[in-house]
Amino acid sequence: MSQSIKYHHGNLKAELVSAALALLDEQGIEGVGIRQIARRVGVAHSAPANHFKNKQALFTALATQCFADLNCLLDEQVSPALDLSAAVHGICQCLLNYALTSPHRYSLMWRKDCVDTQNAELDAAMETVYQKLLSVLASHTQAKQVDIESQAIAIWSLIHGYVSLRLDGSLGKGQDDITGSDRSNAIVSVLLEGLL
Amino acid sequence: MSQSIKYHHGNLKAELVSAALALLDEQGIEGVGIRQIARRVGVAHSAPANHFKNKQALFTALATQCFADLNCLLDEQVSPALDLSAAVHGICQCLLNYALTSPHRYSLMWRKDCVDTQNAELDAAMETVYQKLLSVLASHTQAKQVDIESQAIAIWSLIHGYVSLRLDGSLGKGQDDITGSDRSNAIVSVLLEGLL
DNA sequence: AGTAAAAATGGACGGTGTCAATTTTGAGTC
DNA sequence: GACTCAAAATTGACACCGTCCATTTTTACT
């Protein structure tokens, strides 16, 4: 019967995920606990065990969802018609934006100690994002000394490092606003200059 | 009497730190717990509270120690007489080496959720390392469009990102050996090419 | 209708960090 | 050298947590 609370209400798994994401956004990774989530959804503390065998399994599902979301954002925001430089800048911009908007989600995505690194869906979701960067580089075939994979790793490292440092405040207190991606743009430009 | 276990054995704080570091190296951050450390040192579960008011305070001390260690390594391994490119490569090499040798220590250094980000000593230890990079860039004054701080952030981001990705296995399974820093060197070179 | 599997429940176990009251030790003072 | 007092270490308690278990309820299928 619609969304009334049934003993088996059928979509508890989905509700657990969404409650967990809300908790993650509000309180960070440390605030996300099985019992806490169950409490929020209004089920017994042990109910989630039927849908996620582990806390790790839950985190894995969350991270997978986050990568999928990020992938959607990339599809929306970086058109395949752009030239190389614009596309790479777009990807970086998109990543930075996502991280600043949902810092705890971004953190979780890289917390390999919370996640099942063997999980097929998570791997696929990660790989999809990474392939997006690779395909951008490949589509604009530039004859250059550096192979495409090295280029991708360089870009990936640079933006991930910059985002990580900004997220945990290791960079100076300057440019805190989302639009203040001037620094990010400048840095990416510098790298591209050496790359292309 | 020498190192026999006294009620006040005087150096328990230091012993706690070293036991914690050992535990960190062996089991990772999640394996480091107040009671576990106390057990290993052979004191009551609540003894550490006299020396560290918090688990966070303990982690802060550990991270500070790690930054100090890294700083020593930098002093040893990157001579101030080198030219710019060699110095930057040396710093990156040193960082990568430290991270691959002590992965859990490196992780802890950036786990701002485990650490008191307001702590003065930790801040100073971090700043000392960062200043080392800045001073290298400043000493070889190159007339270039990018200001020194942006250059430093770019380099810092790139190497931190690359190291982080390697540590949690997000890069392909290639080049796993410590000496296999070819990729790292290549990437840093590319960045420097655009930078200088 | 009857049965078997899935889903949700409450209770228990061992573990954690932190707090409080207590006992032991060490150093400094009369 | 006895006394004091603060620091250091002890035991115990509390509220959490993740995980397992036996039990009850619901659903789906024959």
Side-chain angles (χ1 to χ4, degrees), chain B residues 17 21 60-71 98 105 122 125:
Chain B
V17 168
L21 284 175
T60 303
L62 295 185
T64 304
Q65 180 65 53
C66 291
F67 273 108
D69 292 344
L70 178 59
N71 189 54
Y98 181 80
R105 299 195 191 197
L122 176 57

Side-chain angles (χ1 to χ4, degrees), chain A residues 19-65:
Chain A
L21 284 175
L23 212 44
L24 176 62
D25 289 333
E26 295 170 18
Q27 314 201 31
I29 296 181
E30 304 305 308
V32 180
I34 299 281
R35 291 172 110 107
Q36 192 82 12
I37 297 168
R39 218 172 288 133
R40 184 173 281 228
V41 174
V43 294
H45 66 268
S46 191
N50 289 308
H51 303 277
F52 301 99
K53 86 176 210 300
N54 259 347
K55 191 178 184 184
Q56 185 185 259
L58 171 64
F59 275 144
T60 303
L62 295 184
T64 305
Q65 180 65 53

Side-chain angles (χ1 to χ4, degrees), chain A residues 102-121:
Chain A
S102 310
H104 296 121
R105 299 195 191 197
Y106 187 85
S107 293
L108 175 63
M109 291 192 260
W110 305 101
R111 282 288 298 273
K112 297 308 171 71
D113 57 321
C114 293
V115 141
D116 177 15
T117 53
Q118 310 294 331
N119 181 269
E121 290 126 20

Side-chain angles (χ1 to χ4, degrees), chain B residues 22-73:
Chain B
L23 212 44
L24 176 62
D25 289 333
E26 295 169 17
Q27 315 202 30
I29 296 180
E30 304 305 308
V32 179
I34 298 281
R35 291 172 111 107
Q36 191 82 11
I37 296 168
R39 219 173 287 132
R40 184 174 280 228
V41 174
V43 293
H45 67 267
S46 191
N50 290 308
H51 304 277
F52 302 99
K53 85 176 210 300
N54 259 345
K55 192 180 183 182
Q56 188 189 52
L58 171 63
F59 275 144
T60 303
L62 295 185
T64 304
Q65 180 65 53
C66 291
F67 273 108
D69 292 344
L70 178 59
N71 189 54
C72 285
L73 288 178

